[in-house]
Amino acid sequence: MSYERKVIDIKDVRRQIDICKEIYEHVNSDGVTRLAMVDTYGCQQNEADSEKIRGYLAEMGYGFTEDEFQADVIVINTCAVREHAEMRVFGNVGALNHTKKARPDQIIAVCGCMVQQEHIAKKLKMSYPVVDLVFGPHELWRFPELLRQVMARKKRIFATENDTGAVIEGIPQVRKEGVKAWLSIMYGCNNFCTYCIVPYVRGRERSRLPEDIVREARELVAQGYKDITLLGQNVNSYGKDLDEPTDFADLIRMINGIEGDFIIRFMTSHPKDATEKLFKTMAECEKCAHQLHLPVQSGNDRILKVMNRNYTREKYIRQVELARSYMPDLVLTTDIIVGFPGETDEEFNDTLTLCEKVRYDAMFTFIYSKRVGTPAASMPDPFTREDKQRHFDALTELANRISGEKHAEYEGKTVRVLVDGETGKEEYNLSSRTNGGRLVHLKGDKSLIGQTVDVKITASNTWALYGEISI
Ligand code: 5AD
Ligand code: SF4
């Protein structure tokens, strides 16, 4: 697909940071620190976007709270992938009437994928007067300017222009402290799977320059992050829009070359273009986790075709075999949709048999959710919610059984893990991850957080492993 790769001039981003300084003078004139709350729904890309919103808010002098009654500014960063998340957002935005009554000067902003849909922006405008500012993913980089307009004019602002999107560098970020960091390498999606709203709300695929990504990765390592996840809607398309050809495997190799002790993970990979070169690179780069999230969505060829996924069941299985031939210890996870319009019992059964064959370490399963404006929304769908629920329950049972069996295989073995936080529980007070990303609960001193230790796995269940530190 050919289209122009748009880049926002760094000077324009710096201007936004200058506006943050102006807002700082305005809100901190009495020396009292104001508070902001950023509430995030959906995927890791949204988490990464919220880190930028917090970055701007920190430049404006805001501290952070998770209590909406304490917040002077509330930003709700939304997800549009399924209806359920949208309903939760509407419920929570509605509830903010109470906080605004208690704090009439409170500014409430709603942003993210959901508001990029025209019917949602309209609904917020007409039925949710409590909302002062609405901005879509393409406008995030202008958040300071938009917020200043709300503050100065005391009027509601809606910024949800349709756009193909741009690459933007230089936005400040406030990341969660700790061991793990998200690193966006590209934005948008060109795949137009027929059920999915993402390409409509996040625009076309566009890649950051490798040198910008490597610089940021180096900074993260210097700041002490030990577990870096590269993010993109489809990382396997990385670089296709760049003048200097660099593909995703090349990028992994570049990041692997950064000195330091850290793990590289990534998500999400589209099976249509995961390459042998990628698997080989993963196997050869010692910092790259042997972990692959490869959403299959369905195990039936007709459904895959109407989903516009561009691969067959056989091709997918061959790809998994190839990946495992390079990395026998590969941890493989997937996403599956049940109840796609017109999916029959037999077709669903193909998904079950595929899962039995592939044996995923973990599966993320969803009931199809109709998204306004996508091709699947107008496909005939004769099956009832009960039919879909029945399929969903059968798939969940299978997924849990296989995960439980795969976890049981770890028992008695010693594995290397990176300790990444506290659980808040007494018996197993620390959480950690294996190289492949499986969760291991441990007992130990919290000074171990950020360290790699050997652990003997003593117990397991569907969701996690439990172990003792080996000395
Ligand atoms: N309904 C249900 N699940 C969906 N996903 C994307 N769109 C929909 C939808 N309309 C799932 C896919 C995708 C994951 C992020 O969300 O499985 O891989
Ligand atoms: Fe949606 Fe398909 Fe793009 Fe993933 S690859 S974001 S499922 S359109």
Side-chain angles (χ1 to χ4, degrees):
M1 200 176 293
S2 89
Y3 52 89
E4 209 187 331
R5 181 174 176 277
K6 259 196 307 182
V7 179
I8 303 284
D9 193 325
I10 189 78
K11 283 199 217 97
D12 291 333
V13 178
R14 293 210 182 105
R15 199 168 61 82
Q16 296 297 322
I17 298 172
D18 291 341
I19 295 173
C20 292
K21 306 256 149 65
E22 285 170 33
I23 295 178
Y24 185 98
E25 301 295 326
H26 174 66
V27 296
N28 293 288
S29 55
D30 56 3
V32 179
T33 302
R34 298 295 194 277
L35 296 176
M37 180 179 117
V38 182
D39 196 7
T40 312
Y41 294 75
C43 66
Q44 286 77 12
Q45 191 65 60
N46 254 19
E47 295 287 347
D49 283 352
S50 286
E51 291 174 348
K52 292 184 179 149
I53 294 168
R54 285 199 189 90
Y56 274 142
L57 286 164
E59 293 285 326
M60 296 170 197
Y62 285 94
F64 295 101
T65 176
E66 287 181 8
D67 177 356
E68 57 266 38
F69 282 94
Q70 299 295 321
D72 298 281
V73 175
I74 295 180
V75 183
I76 304 197
N77 190 6
T78 64
C79 169
V81 168
R82 281 171 294 275
E83 191 185 10
H84 180 69
E86 293 191 340
M87 299 315 289
R88 271 175 56 219
V89 166
F90 279 123
N92 290 346
V93 172
L96 294 178
N97 274 313
H98 300 295
T99 64
K100 195 139 181 172
K101 255 200 199 109
R103 304 179 73 97
D105 288 335
Q106 186 173 59
I107 295 176
I108 297 174
V110 184
C111 65
C113 292
M114 193 174 148
V115 308
Q116 193 62 38
Q117 303 168 96
E118 218 175 296
H119 68 284
I120 300 277
K122 207 161 156 193
K123 184 165 167 181
L124 286 168
K125 197 177 231 167
M126 308 304 284
S127 311
Y128 291 81
V130 74
V131 175
D132 303 289
L133 168 61
V134 169
F135 60 99
H138 303 305
E139 315 284 347
L140 187 151
W141 72 277
R142 300 200 297 130
F143 169 56
E145 175 186 336
L146 298 169
L147 186 63
R148 186 178 59 176
Q149 281 176 21
V150 173
M151 287 171 164
R153 295 200 218 147
K154 303 247 181 276
K155 77 172 219 202
R156 306 174 79 199
I157 302 282
F158 285 75
T160 56
E161 285 302 298
N162 215 343
D163 197 351
T164 52
V167 175
I168 304 142
E169 296 294 338
I171 300 181
Q173 278 156 284
V174 172
R175 289 188 155 94
K176 264 211 200 94
E177 278 177 31
V179 176
K180 296 189 219 176
W182 310 118
L183 175 47
S184 297
I185 63 164
M186 60 188 299
Y187 311 98
C189 182
N190 287 355
N191 293 316
F192 290 94
C193 301
T194 53
Y195 51 81
C196 187
I197 195 71
V198 169
Y200 302 89
V201 293
R202 282 206 175 257
R204 296 292 63 74
E205 274 171 10
R206 52 218 188 265
S207 307
R208 294 179 67 195
L209 293 176
E211 54 268 36
D212 287 330
I213 298 169
V214 171
R215 185 179 22 79
E216 192 170 339
R218 202 172 275 129
E219 284 164 12
L220 292 174
V221 174
Q223 286 161 19
Y225 289 100
K226 304 269 182 215
D227 188 323
I228 299 175
T229 303
L230 310 178
L231 295 179
Q233 244 34 266
N234 172 20
V235 291
N236 299 334
S237 311
Y238 175 78
K240 287 189 178 159
D241 56 330
L242 296 175
D243 295 338
E244 298 275 325
T246 307
D247 67 15
F248 183 53
D250 299 331
L251 183 70
I252 291 184
R253 211 173 270 286
M254 288 161 116
I255 298 174
N256 191 64
I258 297 173
E259 238 170 83
D261 186 16
F262 65 99
I263 295 174
I264 305 166
R265 306 184 196 278
F266 56 86
M267 63 192 306
T268 291
S269 285
H270 195 304
K272 80 174 169 37
D273 48 17
T275 59
E276 181 163 6
K277 179 178 172 189
L278 171 65
F279 303 146
K280 189 165 183 285
T281 306
M282 288 172 74
E284 286 173 1
C285 291
E286 73 287 355
K287 289 177 181 132
C288 189
H290 290 185
Q291 176 185 14
L292 190 63
H293 183 59
L294 197 65
V296 68
Q297 313 295 1
S298 163
N300 174 268
D301 283 344
R302 187 191 76 83
I303 295 290
L304 287 171
K305 195 159 178 52
V306 278
M307 282 178 164
N308 192 32
R309 292 290 290 176
N310 280 303
Y311 53 86
T312 59
R313 173 192 175 97
E314 268 326 295
K315 184 178 168 206
Y316 182 91
I317 291 172
R318 274 206 308 279
Q319 224 171 38
V320 168
E321 283 166 356
L322 187 62
R324 283 182 169 152
S325 73
Y326 281 100
M327 294 167 283
D329 59 345
L330 182 71
V331 167
L332 186 70
T333 58
T334 200
D335 293 341
I336 293 181
I337 297 177
V338 302
F340 185 82
E343 185 185 49
T344 63
D345 281 351
E346 291 71 33
E347 287 165 341
F348 168 69
N349 206 45
D350 285 344
T351 298
L352 292 180
T353 59
L354 177 119
C355 296
E356 286 276 16
K357 189 167 172 63
V358 173
R359 292 182 62 79
Y360 294 102
D361 292 84
M363 291 160 53
F364 301 89
T365 52
F366 311 102
I367 294 185
Y368 169 73
S369 171
K370 193 175 188 166
R371 306 287 66 211
V372 174
T374 60
S378 49
M379 292 179 189
D381 194 2
F383 297 103
T384 63
R385 176 77 201 187
E386 287 67 41
D387 294 324
K388 296 179 190 220
Q389 189 66 46
R390 192 166 38 80
H391 287 170
F392 182 76
D393 293 345
L395 186 62
T396 309
E397 202 185 305
L398 178 67
N400 290 348
R401 175 169 64 72
I402 296 174
S403 289
E405 287 168 3
K406 294 216 97 168
H407 281 169
E409 288 168 16
Y410 286 87
E411 288 182 29
K413 293 193 180 145
T414 298
V415 291
R416 295 225 96 181
V417 298
L418 172 64
V419 184
D420 60 14
E422 291 181 275
T423 60
K425 304 227 167 71
E426 205 180 310
E427 197 184 353
Y428 290 101
N429 60 321
L430 297 178
S431 69
S432 66
R433 295 272 167 185
T434 64
N435 174 282
R438 305 319 293 148
L439 176 63
V440 183
H441 292 299
L442 305 172
K443 194 169 177 67
D445 193 82
K446 69 176 189 194
S447 62
L448 289 173
I449 295 172
Q451 293 191 33
T452 304
V453 291
D454 285 330
V455 172
K456 181 161 182 202
I457 304 300
T458 52
S460 70
N461 59 29
T462 299
W463 298 277
L465 307 169
Y466 298 82
E468 281 166 10
I469 296 173
S470 316
I471 307 167

